[in-house]
Amino acid sequence: MLALRKQVAVAHGEVPRRAPDTNAAAAAAFEQVPVAMAVLDAMGGFIGANRAFRRLASCSATELRAMSFLALTHSDDAGRYMEAFGDVAAGRRPSAAFRMQIGRAHV
């Protein structure tokens, strides 16, 4: 179990510290993890992608936000992904996760 405290007692000249911002820590971890990951909205638009994903896709964060995941999806996988996104959009499932074959961007 991990517990965070808001303040650390001052002892032996230590400087008081504040608890880390967990959102910032999570964002930094997402960015630095060596596994390519992206977060998509219910329509398949990119909300965010970590450095490993951007490198694999050869796209900047700005370029990804301007495209649908279908632009990078291998044609063999498109139908399966669209079905899952339709389920998310219709409320039949709360989310979907994929291992994705990246094809060439079609923008």
Side-chain angles (χ1 to χ4, degrees), residues 51-84:
R51 182 179 299 147
F53 188 95
R54 294 189 307 269
R55 186 172 41 246
L56 185 63
S58 299
C59 295
S60 70
T62 301
E63 290 169 323
L64 286 173
R65 281 191 296 273
M67 68 174 73
S68 165
F69 82 103
L70 286 174
L72 296 175
T73 300
H74 191 279
S75 59
D76 292 346
D77 298 327
R80 180 169 50 104
Y81 295 164
M82 289 305 298
E83 182 179 340

Side-chain angles (χ1 to χ4, degrees), residues 2 4 18-33 37:
L2 176 65
L4 298 175
R18 296 170 67 193
D21 177 349
T22 54
N23 288 335
F30 177 77
E31 182 64 20
Q32 297 301 321
V33 71
M37 295 188 297

Side-chain angles (χ1 to χ4, degrees), residues 25-50:
F30 177 77
E31 182 64 20
Q32 297 301 321
V33 71
V35 176
M37 295 188 297
V39 179
L40 307 172
D41 63 23
M43 300 306 293
F46 286 94
I47 294 171
N50 69 356

